[in-house]
Amino acid sequence: MSTAKALKFAERVLFGAAAIGTVYSARTGNRRLRLVTKPAAVPVLAARVARAQTLAPGEKGLLVAALVAAGAGDHFMGRSHEDRELIKGATSFGVMQVLYSVFLWRRGARPRAATASPRLGAWAAAAVAMTLPKPSPVSSVLSVYGGLLSTTSTLAADPALAPKARVSGGMVVPSGDRRTWLAAGALLFSASDLAILIRRDFVTSERVRANLETFVLTSYLASQWLLVEGMTAEK
């Protein structure tokens, strides 16, 4: 096995182990395990970016910085569900979304009516829901973050990123071309964050909250993997 293949295999094993440990910790309520496993996933992705031969130095810098911000977000969100930590986490992930959007823009992605309209509509609906019954610093920060996430999701869905991809219902259909994974990754990220809001503001059942937490972590880790794989794919 070549060195490159060995490193790629090691990355997948390490990321898989971190992901499995994180999801298991959510199912069992083992918070100490999650504090170890969830932060371990992002450094593996950063190593994947640093090793990629398909990225220009400036692109590598953008993605590594984005993943550093994601790691900070994981740290804050893992410490507590209190509003103060949630604000810090959302701010960190907001930085990540901005850097992802800059990267996608540099790759030629542009907002289009077919992809932007449903995402902006969902963001507006979520922003309104978060202000009920009354506005708060958390709802304001999360509303801004939602706009940044919608921007990333809109750009990631641009078919121009994968010119030969099949498009169905305005959505790029994932295939063997890793560039087609970007739209699915961004959509999963949105679903994960939406589940966080639902769990935080609308669910009281501990069983449902636990199930949502498992979904949040599973979809988050899958989305990061798909996004990084898509952004490091050969043009």
Side-chain angles (χ1 to χ4, degrees):
M1 182 183 293
S2 67
T3 301
K5 288 184 177 180
L7 287 172
K8 186 175 183 179
F9 177 76
E11 289 164 359
R12 289 179 173 177
V13 170
L14 290 172
F15 185 86
I20 291 171
T22 301
V23 174
Y24 177 78
S25 72
R27 293 302 301 170
T28 59
N30 190 331
R31 191 173 186 83
R32 295 178 67 179
L33 175 63
R34 188 188 316 178
L35 290 174
V36 174
T37 55
K38 189 184 180 190
V42 167
V44 175
L45 295 179
R48 172 78 180 90
V49 168
R51 193 176 59 82
Q53 301 296 314
T54 55
L55 300 174
E59 292 178 328
K60 282 188 180 183
L62 278 173
L63 291 188
V64 169
L67 290 168
V68 169
D74 285 337
H75 171 73
F76 292 126
M77 299 287 279
R79 290 176 60 188
S80 170
H81 292 308
E82 293 180 0
D83 287 354
R84 182 174 59 182
E85 300 304 321
L86 188 59
I87 288 173
K88 292 178 181 177
T91 301
S92 299
F93 279 116
V95 172
M96 182 207 74
Q97 298 294 354
V98 169
L99 294 172
Y100 276 176
S101 291
V102 171
F103 178 93
L104 295 169
W105 186 276
R106 286 178 53 143
R107 281 289 176 96
R110 297 293 183 268
R112 305 183 188 279
T115 54
S117 298
R119 288 163 176 81
L120 292 176
W123 167 55
V128 170
M130 283 186 293
T131 63
L132 302 175
K134 63 181 180 179
S136 70
V138 173
S139 63
S140 299
V141 171
L142 292 181
S143 294
V144 172
Y145 169 75
L148 298 176
L149 172 59
S150 297
T151 301
T152 301
S153 182
T154 298
L155 293 175
D158 186 359
L161 292 170
K164 297 181 180 180
R166 186 164 68 89
V167 179
S168 178
M171 180 76 177
V172 174
V173 178
S175 68
D177 181 351
R178 289 187 293 129
R179 294 175 299 177
T180 64
W181 300 359
L182 286 166
L187 192 62
L188 269 178
F189 212 118
S190 300
S192 178
D193 285 348
L194 178 60
I196 291 175
L197 294 179
I198 293 173
R199 183 196 63 199
R200 176 180 180 273
D201 294 333
F202 302 105
V203 175
T204 56
S205 166
E206 288 302 319
R207 181 178 179 181
V208 175
R209 288 173 66 88
N211 288 335
L212 279 174
E213 179 70 2
T214 301
F215 173 79
V216 165
L217 294 171
T218 303
S219 54
Y220 166 71
L221 292 168
S223 69
Q224 287 284 35
W225 177 265
L226 290 171
L227 286 166
V228 169
E229 284 291 302
M231 288 188 280
T232 56
E234 188 172 355
K235 298 178 185 180

